[in-house]
Each structure stands twice: as C-alpha cells, then as structure tokens.
Amino acid sequence: MRKKGIIYRVLVFTIIAAAVVLWDFKGRTSLNTNDIGLQVTKWDNFYNGNNIHFYYLNPQNENLTKLKTKYGLNKLIDNNADQLDNSIKIMKFINKRVKAQSTAMSSDKSALEIMKVAFNGDEISDSDYAIIYEECLASLGINVRQGMLRSTDKKVKGKSYFNVCEIWSDKYHKWIMLDGVNGCYMREKQIPLSAIEIINKGIGNVQIVNLKGTSKYIKNMSGYFESYSISIDNNKYGELKSNSKITYLKDKQLPKIETKEGFIQPTIFVNNPQVFTISPNLQYVNTGKEETATLIFAKRDLKNDTKEVDDFTIGVFMNSYMLPNYFISVNGSDYIKVETFYSLQIKKGINSIKLSQDGKTLSREVIIEK
C-alpha cells in the first residue's frame, strides 16, 4: 500500500491526463452571444498557497542543442549581459525573419519545425511564435515560460487569448513579460514588469518599450490583460509531470471553464499572485503545510456530451499532489467518498459541487450553470 501511495504522489496531475481527453481550446467551437455554454456563478475554490513545483525546459535537451547550433544563437548574445538584454537580442533575430499574427493557425510543432517554414516566409500564429521564442531562449540557459493572456469573449475580436513569454531576470530578481509578436515589453520607473503586474496596474498605466504606436497597441491588446495562465510543467521534452495550468484572476472575477474556442485545460485558479513570482533558481521543497484542498475540473471526451449533460472528471489538489480519499456532494446529495477521481455530469440548470476532506466539513464549493 505504501508503494502505491508513493507512486500516486509522484504522478502529481498526470493521472488526469490518462483519465480524460483534454481540450486545450478545442471542441465545442460554435458558441456565440446567444449560446454562452457553461457559466461559473460561484467559485469558492481559489488556491491561496505557493507550494507548487514548476518544471522548465532543460537547455541540454537534444532538440534545444540542435536549435542553438543550427541558428548560431550563442553567437547572438553577450554572456555577461542580463537575461532581459539577451532575450531582446533573440527577439530581434526572430522578428527579422518571421511574420506572426494572432489570426494565423497554430501548428503545435517544435521550434525547429516551425522555424523551418517561418524562415521561408510562412506566417505563423502567436502560439507558434511563443514556442520558437521559448525554445530559443531555453537553449541558451535562460529560464523561460510561455504564458497565455485571456480576455472575456466580448472584449476582443477574433480569438479570446494571446500568447507571450516570461523570462527570469537575475538582475531584477523577477519574471519579466515579453510580447515577441509585437516586439515589446513593459516597465514602470525603469523596472521591467511581469504579466500579472501589467494586469494589476493596467496596460494604459505602464511604459511600453521598443514599440511605435503604443496607443494602437493599447487599444488592440488591453482586452487580453484580464487573466493570465502558465503551465506547471513547461518541460515539453521530458516526462510529463503535470498537465495543469495556473490561472490568475483579479478579485471578484469568476473563472471561465468554457470559452468560444472550447473547454480550457485543467486549471488551478488563484487571485493571489505569489505563486507566479517563484524563482526557477530555487530548489523546490514541499512544505506540506497546506490544509485546504482545491478542486480541479478536467473535461472528458466531447462525444459523450448532449444538450442536457457535459461530462467532467474532478481531481483534488493539495501540497503539490493529487489528493486521494476525499468526499464530493452534488446538488445537495450526501457526501460520497472518492478514492482518486470523480466522474461529474454537469446537467441543464444549476449544478452545485461541494468538497469535503472528512465527509462532514465543507472545504470548497463551486456552482456551474448550464
């Protein structure tokens, strides 16, 4: 039994990946203003801790070393310069050769594959640009992560999300957001800003660096700076440690688990930015101090959905692991003990999902309307 428990802990979120078919902005794409899909009306389920183990690309990975060698990336940077300065140099190198637009189709390929077609003149999406930028920087030993800015469906034309990258700066001791597609970053009082800092301060209240026509940029991009998501596991070339994302929302904002592009990936929602500030240079130590678990919703295969029912799987997270043995109540039913994952049907009307860790005391509650 102890051996099984250890394996369960090490797998973290990956059991969810085996248990469900994940939909990363895929699936039900016919939503319009008259068909809003699933709506969250209560979310007493925000994660308040910072005990999460993040994973990043390894610069020694074979794909990254090939990328660095093929394009001579190490010759483009100054080894004595700050990560931000070198990231800007790589951005300029890419932008001289690549055309990127948020309206272009994404390919989900590696940087080597994308750059082969992009350098020949094919237009790529902001998602593919972020892949190129992330892998180029990682190949040079810069800690980098992709991030997704997202708007409410009504505030922007076209798709509701836009991809950027953040790099860790040893000089500034913080994460810094770079919008490679538009060739810029933001700062306040000469201090470069992270994505969440820009969200909280407001894009109209910060300095946009290396960009002409900032007023047009603010008009076109302000709608995206409403929420921000990053992956727990950014190491795409290693064994999957987690398929979940962390999403920051301002206070009083409710999560959206379905957008006009489809259902989102399993996500831990937070309204405290501390988990986004963790340095990648720190060795992770699990403190085990969290006392309240958090629900994670993962969409199941769409082929089983009907107009009356959407199928989900629920997992429970605490102290950087998926928690076994908890209790779930749906629409006022008695608590049911769950050993690993719970199969949930979201039905037409109001759906109340309650979590208890002991079968008696309420820990979390989410209400979703269909």
Side-chain angles (χ1 to χ4, degrees), residues 297-311:
F297 293 78
K299 187 69 188 74
R300 293 178 69 87
D301 197 335
L302 287 169
K303 68 182 181 182
N304 296 321
D305 290 349
T306 68
K307 289 184 178 180
E308 302 297 321
V309 176
D310 287 306
D311 288 328

Side-chain angles (χ1 to χ4, degrees), residues 94-102 104-105 114 117-126 128-129 132 180-181:
I94 296 172
N95 289 358
K96 286 180 180 178
R97 294 159 179 82
V98 168
K99 297 177 182 178
Q101 292 288 339
S102 62
M105 293 293 292
I114 297 169
V117 297
F119 280 27
N120 285 329
D122 287 10
E123 191 174 83
I124 63 172
S125 68
D126 56 290
D128 282 353
Y129 185 101
I132 290 176
V181 171

